Amino acid sequence: MSTKYETRYASSPQAVKKYDTQELRDEFLIPDLMQGDNIKWVYTHYDRYMAGGAMPIAEALSLETIDPLKSEFFLERREMGIINAGGAGTVIADGEEFAMAHKDALYLGKGVKDVVFKSDDSNKPAKFYMNSAPAHTAYPTKHVAKVDANKIELGSLETANHRTVSQMIIGGIVTTCQLQMGMTELKTGSVWNTMPAHVHDRRMEIYYYLDIMDEQAVCHFMGQPQETRHIWMQNHEAVISPPWSIHSGSGTSNYTFIWGMAGENLDYGDMDVAKITDLR
């Protein structure tokens, strides 16, 4: 196995206004997180947030620290959330095994030293999508099965955004320092997510899209409400959303996305809504 990483620096909204399509994709799109028998990380300078993927096939994968962290082990000063976007697998954290079914979540607190990822079936490998943020306190490890998530029904078929939000790593379910994670699943016939669009200047966010059918795609919208841009997304790709940016999307079919965020507060409802008719 190998651990790969890259760094993404913060961009101002003034700079992004001038980006062409390729510059926008280079800055915010994360196209290759799931690599067989490898761990891949993107270290962002938005709240020092990290997004990663671990896809064990022929061998188990061990979580290793990377140079930008300047730490003895990865979670020395960090917390982590994991959601399995693939086949059944297992995460072993300091010797304790957690069975991870498809779309199950796991929270690992600051101080967990040894983390190993395994797939139950190499023909249907697990795809462990990971988010990590700096942590000041050690909170207990906790497994959250999809059925145990806090579920919220939003939208309607008439407005093409009927969806189920599953809050998984969030206050009331898991105690964290600043990390929050969950997923949103769109119903058949619905394609719009996160409408009305909003920004939350106190938190940044990353979206990871999955369940996109073959030959289909999602158009992810970002930017200031009066200066929106778009990025076309494929299955198992992620996109960085700065705190000054909206984060919304529309697909050519229904799909799922995993959301993860961190920043100044843990208030899930803290957002500044932009009226749909005000978007530009």
Side-chain angles (χ1 to χ4, degrees), residues 8 21-29 231-232 237:
R8 303 284 183 93
T21 298
Q22 192 58 53
E23 287 174 311
L24 199 69
R25 293 174 68 85
D26 290 344
E27 197 73 19
F28 299 106
L29 179 66
I231 298 175
W232 282 98
E237 293 186 337

Side-chain angles (χ1 to χ4, degrees), residues 226-274:
Q226 70 277 15
E227 286 279 353
T228 60
R229 303 288 186 269
H230 69 271
I231 298 175
W232 282 98
M233 309 279 301
Q234 303 297 319
N235 204 24
H236 295 292
E237 293 186 337
V239 61
I240 300 166
S241 179
W244 46 262
S245 174
I246 66 166
H247 29 282
S248 183
S250 183
T252 55
S253 67
N254 62 313
Y255 52 90
T256 299
F257 66 95
I258 296 170
W259 43 267
M261 61 183 111
E264 189 176 353
N265 65 39
L266 287 167
D267 179 4
Y268 180 81
D270 175 17
M271 59 187 70
D272 301 318
V273 172

Side-chain angles (χ1 to χ4, degrees), residues 103-120:
K103 295 182 177 178
D104 278 3
L106 179 68
Y107 171 78
L108 302 179
K110 172 179 174 287
V112 175
K113 288 187 176 182
D114 297 313
V115 182
V116 177
F117 303 95
K118 298 168 61 177
S119 292
D120 291 359

Side-chain angles (χ1 to χ4, degrees), residues 124-256:
K124 298 177 181 178
K127 295 178 180 179
F128 296 107
Y129 175 63
M130 304 175 288
N131 283 185
S132 177
H136 61 277
T137 301
Y139 288 115
T141 294
K142 185 171 181 179
H143 176 264
V144 181
K146 184 187 175 186
V147 295
D148 297 324
N150 181 44
K151 294 181 173 58
I152 304 171
E153 293 288 324
L154 295 173
S156 67
L157 186 59
E158 288 75 16
T159 50
N161 65 353
H162 189 197
R163 60 200 189 274
T164 301
V165 177
S166 294
Q167 297 175 328
M168 305 183 82
I169 300 174
I170 196 169
I173 299 176
V174 181
T175 302
T176 72
C177 292
Q178 61 170 321
L179 180 67
Q180 299 181 74
M181 289 182 75
M183 72 177 70
T184 300
E185 297 171 289
L186 277 80
K187 308 288 187 179
T188 301
S190 288
V191 295
W192 278 102
N193 77 64
T194 322
M195 279 296 181
H198 60 266
V199 299
H200 30 69
D201 200 45
R202 281 108 358 231
R203 297 193 305 271
M204 64 80 64
E205 193 160 358
I206 291 183
Y207 276 12
Y208 174 82
Y209 286 95
L210 65 152
D211 294 339
I212 301 175
M213 293 183 286
D214 291 344
E215 307 301 323
Q216 305 301 317
V218 172
C219 189
H220 179 85
F221 293 92
M222 63 166 296
Q224 293 175 298
Q226 70 277 15
E227 286 279 353
T228 60
R229 303 288 186 269
H230 69 271
I231 298 175
W232 282 98
M233 309 279 301
Q234 303 297 319
N235 204 24
H236 295 292
E237 293 186 337
V239 61
I240 300 166
S241 179
W244 46 262
S245 174
I246 66 166
H247 29 282
S248 183
S250 183
T252 55
S253 67
N254 62 313
Y255 52 90
T256 299

